Amino acid sequence: MSSVIAAKPVATTADETPKIVGGEITAPSQEIDGFQLVIDALKLNGIDTIFGLPGIPITDLTRKLQAAGLRVISFRHEQNAGYAASIAGFMSQKPGICLTVSAPGFMNGLAALANATTNCFPMILISGSSEREIVDLQQGDYEEMDQLAIARPHAKAAFRVLHAEDIGVGVARAIRAALSGRPGGVYLDFPAKLFPQTIDAEAGRQSLIKVVDPAPRQIPAPDAVQRALDLLKGAKRPLIILGKGAAYAQADADIRALVERTGIPYLPMSMAKGLLPDTHEQSASAARSYVLPEADVVMLIGARLNWLLSQGKGKTWGGKSAKHWGGQKFVQIDISPQEADSNVRIDAPVVGDIGSCVAAMLGAMGSKWPKPPAEWLGAIAERKTKNVAKMGESLAQNPTPMNFHSALNVVRDIVKANPDAILVNEGANALDFTRSIVDMYKPRKRLDVGTWGVMGIGMGFSVAAAVVSGEQVIAIEGDSAFGFSGMECETICRYNLPVCVVILNNNGVYRGDEVNPTGGRDPSPLVFVKGARYEMLMQAFGGVGVLARTPDELRKAMEEAIRSRRPTLINAVIDEKAGTESGRITSLNPAAKKKP
Ligand code: ADP
């Protein structure tokens, strides 16, 4: 190996001073170290932002990254930095980078890495690690842990770099793995000893790789496209479901053209809301429970038939019971050739990247495409009108204290007036109600708990959304969900980000009125301190905190937050009896199922 461990501190830039050795002038000693190679490899590949948390052994790396002109966003907990990196990846189609210390910091970041892989978000978790020789012999090093082995099952790929001359390859492989095909989370292990290693500067420069075409287009087979079109053309009650893969693909104009040229009603999954405006006349969101069981051909675009779609069977789809298929035929557009038939038969899989697949379908449709039968469109319109009117009634009520509807009616207006704002959303009821009440108007403006329904993404996503887009962020949080990442209010204030957090505060998990059935001194495990003053948390760090007890107070505070772009936390007090157990997924909660 040409790498050597530096015996003394090494300059991170090449030393170009000629030296006189034994009376002769030698060529300048030009060496480059691991720190600089990591920085150069990332920069060469267009990485300009790092999310992380400094500490041994990556403290100096964070300093040097900043000194080299990258933006380093430093968090209070690695999990939040990891969530930030993952959603930055989703928004930008560049792998989001999360940088952590070894063992515990790595483990904190791992939750976000696994979540990224599950959600198909491109992300790279880079963690420093302890000495391999000691770790492998389990001799008790500082923060000893076999991180590579632990990361592997939770990542799309995992690599360790031991030698400075391999940094270029390690970074390139991580980028390619995160972005190509189905995107996902990648782990990159940098042992502490890597950073001060030095190698010849020219050899170092040559070892770096600028990844060419990291997410190659995947063109679908023409016969697969034709098969899908034939199936759709013959449908009497066709339906399109748009998933977050469609949002990620950034093929917005073509997706909209396909929906509009076919005239087929569509349902957006939650992070696909806004791909077409939720107010679009073909949106069937307000008739969801009607269209799923009634449709005869369903085209999935970047959406999996997982639990969020009841695995494509059961009563949701008109099946006799949870195990029965509803009789629909499916077209599935997806980049993963293995996705089809995961749950039910896919009659027309179209494998390729969504941009290429949708373009191929548009090209092969011909100019005369029959509109879906009027009877189907009429039946959907009728349900929509009825349900929208029902929702209107709920939104018009103005109870004291506020409930989810009266508070979210305000958010709905604010988002309508600020369609470029990014909405981050987590909670149980806070998630479900926001998803159905607040319309989205533009693509990739709604970021939420995703495939796992994970709690804790709130502040990490908010920071990343503001950093990546520069737009106003509105985070609608359940009070329970907020607790997982609330300390990042300090991060939001430190970087002075335009984030307006609204906590729908009902004093507990799901709701705040549970009591300890024994009458003992401990509160129910599902409740929090009553009347908690969350807004003071933002005030503690120099931001704005507002207590809002009425829709008017909430509206005023949100408008001011957006006008000023100052970090703001609005504690929106709602009825502690508002909310149902597990929100809309009560069926998954065995305890709640047993309740009368
Ligand atoms: P949702 O939760 O919105 O239903 P999922 O995460 O279940 O969405 O599904 C996203 C799907 O999109 C995944 O199966 C993934 O393979 C696919 N996907 C992601 N990016 C692309 C892309 N660029 N082209 C095609 N398919 C993609």
Side-chain angles (χ1 to χ4, degrees):
M1 262 324 123
S2 60
S3 59
V4 290
I5 309 296
K8 54 181 171 41
V10 173
T12 55
T13 47
D15 170 10
E16 298 190 0
T17 328
K19 294 203 169 49
I20 302 174
V21 180
E24 279 181 39
I25 298 177
T26 63
S29 134
Q30 295 201 328
E31 297 234 296
I32 190 165
D33 67 8
F35 284 114
Q36 194 61 40
L37 284 165
V38 170
I39 293 165
D40 290 350
L42 293 171
K43 278 181 87 167
L44 185 64
N45 284 289
I47 303 293
D48 52 16
T49 307
I50 306 286
F51 303 93
L53 206 164
I56 297 172
I58 49 101
T59 314
D60 255 5
L61 182 59
T62 59
R63 286 195 190 105
K64 288 170 196 274
L65 282 160
Q66 189 174 56
L70 282 92
R71 191 143 193 223
V72 181
I73 307 292
S74 183
F75 283 74
R76 304 302 296 261
H77 191 287
E78 292 88 350
Q79 195 175 103
N80 304 320
Y83 287 140
S86 70
I87 208 67
F90 170 78
M91 292 171 70
S92 65
Q93 292 185 326
K94 279 201 286 191
I97 310 286
C98 174
L99 183 60
T100 80
V101 302
S102 38
F106 154 78
M107 291 288 275
N108 289 342
L110 193 60
L113 183 73
N115 187 62
T117 305
T118 301
N119 280 279
C120 318
F121 296 157
M123 164 188 175
I124 302 174
L125 174 68
I126 300 179
S127 295
S129 60
S130 306
E131 244 175 87
R132 280 256 42 87
E133 293 80 353
I134 304 182
V135 172
D136 287 349
L137 277 171
Q138 299 183 12
Q139 293 176 305
D141 200 3
Y142 167 74
E143 296 194 346
E144 178 180 296
M145 178 176 272
D146 188 356
Q147 296 169 196
L148 185 68
I150 291 165
R152 194 155 265 146
H154 307 289
K156 187 179 167 195
F159 307 103
R160 176 161 48 228
V161 180
L162 292 175
H163 303 292
E165 63 264 40
D166 294 330
I167 287 172
V169 168
V171 169
R173 296 208 71 191
I175 290 172
R176 207 172 267 292
L179 287 177
S180 61
R182 172 183 277 179
V186 176
Y187 176 61
L188 196 50
D189 191 283
F190 286 165
K193 279 208 292 197
L194 181 72
F195 299 115
Q197 279 183 32
T198 56
I199 59 172
D200 171 70
E202 183 52 28
R205 263 190 289 278
Q206 283 173 11
S207 71
L208 300 182
I209 295 173
K210 183 168 168 48
V211 180
V212 176
D213 197 11
R217 291 174 64 199
Q218 284 182 224
I219 314 291
D223 57 334
V225 170
Q226 198 52 52
R227 192 189 296 122
L229 287 173
D230 289 348
L231 196 55
L232 280 176
K233 210 172 205 166
K236 294 205 165 41
R237 297 179 304 283
L239 177 69
I240 292 174
I241 297 182
L242 301 172
K244 60 178 165 320
Y248 173 77
Q250 299 198 14
D252 308 336
D254 273 1
I255 290 172
R256 182 168 185 158
L258 183 68
V259 172
E260 290 182 341
R261 273 182 58 192
T262 59
I264 297 176
Y266 73 95
L267 281 180
M269 299 300 287
S270 80
M271 280 178 59
K273 274 167 71 79
L275 256 177
L276 285 81
D278 279 335
T279 45
H280 195 283
E281 63 161 347
Q282 283 171 254
S283 169
S285 291
R288 189 177 194 274
S289 60
Y290 172 72
V291 291
L292 288 177
E294 291 296 325
D296 61 350
V297 176
V298 179
M299 175 158 72
L300 302 155
I301 307 183
R304 287 170 285 188
L305 279 177
N306 56 18
W307 70 281
L308 289 160
L309 284 168
S310 308
Q311 267 89 22
K313 53 194 170 207
K315 291 198 172 146
T316 307
W317 292 89
K320 260 196 305 189
S321 77
K323 297 214 174 341
H324 285 88
W325 169 58
Q328 289 82 3
K329 290 198 182 308
F330 287 99
V331 175
Q332 185 162 32
I333 300 182
D334 204 289
I335 201 154
S336 165
Q338 293 177 356
E339 184 53 39
D341 306 330
S342 301
N343 286 288
V344 296
R345 182 178 58 230
I346 300 298
D347 304 272
V350 183
V351 176
D353 69 277
I354 284 167
S356 301
C357 293
V358 170
M361 289 187 92
L362 282 168
M365 272 173 72
S367 54
K368 280 216 175 91
W369 183 268
K371 289 279 171 226
E375 209 181 308
W376 173 232
L377 301 183
I380 296 172
E382 197 182 306
R383 256 84 183 175
K384 269 176 70 173
T385 311
K386 219 165 74 195
N387 291 341
V388 167
K390 223 161 86 188
M391 171 73 86
E393 278 169 28
S394 307
L395 293 177
Q397 288 168 11
N398 190 4
T400 309
M402 290 191 282
N403 62 11
F404 285 101
H405 282 87
S406 61
L408 287 170
N409 192 30
V410 173
V411 179
R412 176 183 159 100
D413 290 347
I414 299 275
V415 170
K416 187 173 181 187
N418 299 277
D420 286 315
I422 295 177
L423 186 80
V424 172
N425 188 203
E426 64 175 335
N429 294 282
L431 176 85
D432 293 336
F433 284 118
T434 305
R435 189 176 49 227
S436 57
I437 292 171
V438 179
D439 288 331
M440 304 308 299
Y441 300 88
K442 295 193 174 181
R444 293 170 295 285
K445 296 293 185 185
R446 187 187 151 87
L447 311 174
D448 68 27
V449 301
T451 304
W452 266 350
V454 64
M455 295 296 112
I457 49 90
M459 297 305 101
F461 275 21
S462 296
V463 169
V467 166
V468 170
S469 72
E471 299 286 357
Q472 176 69 44
V473 175
I474 298 171
I476 305 297
E477 300 275 313
D479 51 334
S480 168
F482 173 74
F484 290 78
S485 66
M487 193 63 195
E488 303 298 346
C489 282
E490 191 274 331
T491 311
I492 291 169
C493 288
R494 187 163 18 107
Y495 291 94
N496 195 22
L497 299 173
V499 175
C500 172
V501 182
V502 178
I503 298 182
L504 299 175
N505 182 7
N506 63 356
N507 293 342
V509 182
Y510 309 132
R511 43 196 284 160
D513 59 347
E514 288 230 353
V515 290
N516 180 342
T518 70
R521 65 179 175 179
D522 290 342
S524 153
L526 288 125
V527 301
F528 301 137
V529 167
K530 288 197 190 297
R533 301 291 301 273
Y534 290 105
E535 74 281 9
M536 295 170 91
L537 194 57
M538 202 62 109
Q539 290 168 353
F541 304 113
V544 178
V546 182
L547 182 68
R549 295 185 187 280
T550 65
D552 282 347
E553 289 171 359
L554 176 58
R555 189 181 302 271
K556 218 169 120 228
M558 288 188 78
E559 283 172 352
E560 178 53 23
I562 289 169
R563 194 200 58 72
S564 71
R565 286 175 63 89
R566 287 188 63 193
T568 301
L569 193 155
I570 304 168
N571 184 3
V573 178
I574 60 171
D575 189 345
E576 67 173 11
K577 290 193 268 321
T580 52
E581 179 129 355
S582 309
R584 290 216 187 127
I585 51 174
T586 309
S587 62
L588 299 178
N589 184 339
K593 254 199 267 191
K594 272 193 244 133
K595 282 192 175 166

